[in-house]
Amino acid sequence: MFARKTWSNWSGGVTCRPGQFVVPSTVDALSDLVRETASANGKLRVVGAGHSFTPVVATEHTLVSLARIAGLAEIDREAGAATVLAGTTIRNLGGLLGKHGLALENQGDIDSQAIAGAVSTGTHGTGIAFGSISTQVRALTLVLASGKLLSCSPTHEPDIFKAAQVALGSLGVLARIRLQCVPSYVLRDVRRNVDLNQCLADFEDSCRRHRHFEFWWFPYSDRAATKALDIVATPKPRSAVKRVLADKLLETGVFWAASEAVRMFPGLSRPVARFASRAISETDYADHSHRVFPSPRDVRFNEMEYAVPVERGPDCLRELKAYIERDRVRVHFPIEYRVVAGDDIWLSPFYRRDSAVISVHMYAGMPYADYFAGCEAIFRNHRGRPHWGKIHNLTAHELQDMYPEWHRFHAIRRRLDPRGVFMNDHLAKIFGA
């Protein structure tokens, strides 16, 4: 337990001063902490890697880190499943599963998140045949406000399970997560720079031809940087020299320096964006999946992301492009475009529909409110749903109409946490509690 000090998220855009910051080492210690907090009429939020851009964990009360509750709790070889302690980062999980010949079916391009946070917010990768990480969950163990453990799955407490698969930590603290895995596999990563209009015209075909496909568009350019991943038999990793040149020198060092220049002189945003669109390196290599999915994210930013019906994605992107160019928005960070399969998780942004997921970014330290507000209006016109861990301006009034099971979810939330032990100001705003 540590004295009051300021906590901030990864981007530095969210800060808070919790009354106490606690790092329990065991699930039993976590249960005791939750029970004692509830008995004292206190409130408690849990932080993983701090990679959400919203104040989803911000609190002036007790902030709990799960960093020491990490690792594999169990491997079920027959079922090809792994039970993972909630504080395990996705980066570490890849290596741990690999030792047992297993891997995640899919993951995102950032792997620093704790698995509990990734599940709780519906974090995802890309691929029209693949859902979010939450769809890979087969059972969950929650620490309830009483301090008791509750296990749920599709066959045991199925309604609680469906609510808890994406719950923003509002039902209880995730302690253990059973994940359905697949045998280890090798992915080939091919990155090409192509014409944006041609990329959009070919997008459906590209999604059918590749296991995973996505692209980035830099503002004020006509180029798209594509990334296609497919399973191959053997690794062909990049050399250390090429990896350092591409990831550290060019896409981190040079882009960071350019971003700092734009921060100090915003008028440089257009030429820097155009330069970046031409400077992205093309690659072709293969390695184990957990090494290929993630991309370096050392240049910090703030992000808004919406999931729109997949058929509306191209038009939505074209409108974003027109808005940026018409209003001469001072932005040089790219827009990312991915696809995610629909699911049946009550608060998932992908509930009952395949989605095009479009992410807009602004360099940390630069003003983003006006830019994001303009993008959000376009997303909403295309029936978009926001990512729970990314910046948005919606409240319960707008959100409840987006989720058919909204009231069913909150009935369970109120039953499991009637005194709001796990609530904070942000959750009160978006849940209307």
Side-chain angles (χ1 to χ4, degrees), residues 360-376:
V360 298
H361 313 77
M362 184 65 80
Y363 181 55
M366 292 183 65
Y368 60 79
D370 290 345
Y371 172 45
F372 283 8
C375 293
E376 189 165 47

Side-chain angles (χ1 to χ4, degrees), residues 43 190 234 243 363 429:
K43 292 183 179 293
V190 178
T234 56
R243 188 170 62 251
Y363 181 55
K429 173 186 172 184

Side-chain angles (χ1 to χ4, degrees), residues 326-401:
R326 181 189 68 243
D327 286 24
R328 298 177 177 268
V329 178
R330 290 179 166 179
V331 58
H332 67 286
F333 258 67
I335 292 179
E336 187 175 11
Y337 192 108
R338 292 173 283 180
V339 288
V340 178
D343 58 43
D344 62 352
I345 300 169
W346 294 353
L347 286 196
S348 167
F350 320 110
Y351 183 78
R352 301 296 187 194
R353 71 186 194 195
D354 295 342
S355 299
V357 184
I358 305 175
S359 311
V360 298
H361 313 77
M362 184 65 80
Y363 181 55
M366 292 183 65
Y368 60 79
D370 290 345
Y371 172 45
F372 283 8
C375 293
E376 189 165 47
I378 295 170
F379 289 138
R380 292 198 63 195
N381 284 340
H382 286 276
R383 296 172 45 220
R385 295 171 179 152
H387 187 300
W388 293 114
K390 311 291 175 70
I391 294 166
H392 65 88
N393 297 299
L394 305 189
T395 66
H397 178 72
E398 296 93 4
L399 290 164
Q400 64 182 344
D401 295 330

